[in-house]
Amino acid sequence: MKITIIYDNQAKKGLTADWGFSCLIENKEKILFDTGANGKILLNNMRKLGIDPQSIDEIFISHYHFDHTGGLSDILNMNATAKIYIPSSFRGVKNREVIEIKDPIEIHAGVFSTGELDGIEQSMAIQTKKGLVIIVGCSHPGVDKIMDRAKEIARTSGQEKIYAVIGG
């Protein structure tokens, strides 16, 4: 698995920094986690990182706040086939395959959504050999609550150790 930070307020050299968050998770699928606040910055940083927007298989939106969804329409204009995972409280995506998530769900083998916590935000948990990697948006429900939910989900596979928490 490889995770590339695309959008952050402390971007690495050569990228444009801005308030918000987005990363690309490359496992068997390429999953774009959130889209930052500004589509032009998102796409520009992707270009600089050599990430083709059309290569993204899925888009996972943590929650509705602008700094995590501002680039969504721009990426959707560049990619007509990506499947979109949204928390059930999110509205506004039309004419696309959208999976609304309320409860915890396994998206792919070893890749989970925590489900929508506190009616606002979902996070992602990925099982690795070293432990769980948890990807978060803003962590509005609290990192402790997110980690507890991720461990609950992973308990069924016997892997509850948290290796890393990444996000905005």
Side-chain angles (χ1 to χ4, degrees), residues 19 24 93 126 133:
W19 192 256
L24 181 66
V93 180
I126 304 168
V133 173

Side-chain angles (χ1 to χ4, degrees), residues 82-102:
K83 189 185 308 183
I84 306 164
Y85 296 93
I86 59 172
S88 60
S89 62
F90 183 80
R91 299 284 179 258
V93 180
K94 298 176 184 174
N95 303 320
R96 296 301 293 262
E97 181 181 357
V98 175
I99 295 99
E100 287 186 20
I101 298 177
K102 182 153 185 76

Side-chain angles (χ1 to χ4, degrees), residues 1-3 23 25 33 110-112 114 123-136 146-147 150 154 159-167:
M1 174 183 63
K2 177 181 174 185
I3 298 174
C23 70
I25 302 153
F33 184 101
V111 180
F112 303 88
T114 59
S123 298
M124 183 180 287
I126 304 168
Q127 293 176 325
T128 72
K129 291 177 183 175
K130 294 183 178 183
L132 290 173
V133 173
I134 302 169
I135 317 288
V136 300
I146 294 167
M147 291 189 325
Q159 184 186 52
E160 299 174 47
K161 177 185 170 199
I162 294 175
Y163 176 68
V165 178
I166 300 168

Side-chain angles (χ1 to χ4, degrees), residues 106 110 112 127 132 151-160:
E106 187 170 22
F112 303 88
Q127 293 176 325
L132 290 173
K151 286 194 276 187
E152 272 176 39
I153 294 165
R155 190 168 291 135
T156 58
S157 68
Q159 184 186 52
E160 299 174 47

Side-chain angles (χ1 to χ4, degrees), residues 137-150:
C138 281
S139 303
H140 290 291
V143 173
D144 56 339
K145 189 180 242 183
I146 294 167
M147 291 189 325
D148 287 346
R149 176 65 65 86

Side-chain angles (χ1 to χ4, degrees), residues 7 26 117-118 137 151 160:
Y7 200 113
E26 296 178 81
L117 296 170
D118 292 351
K151 286 194 276 187
E160 299 174 47

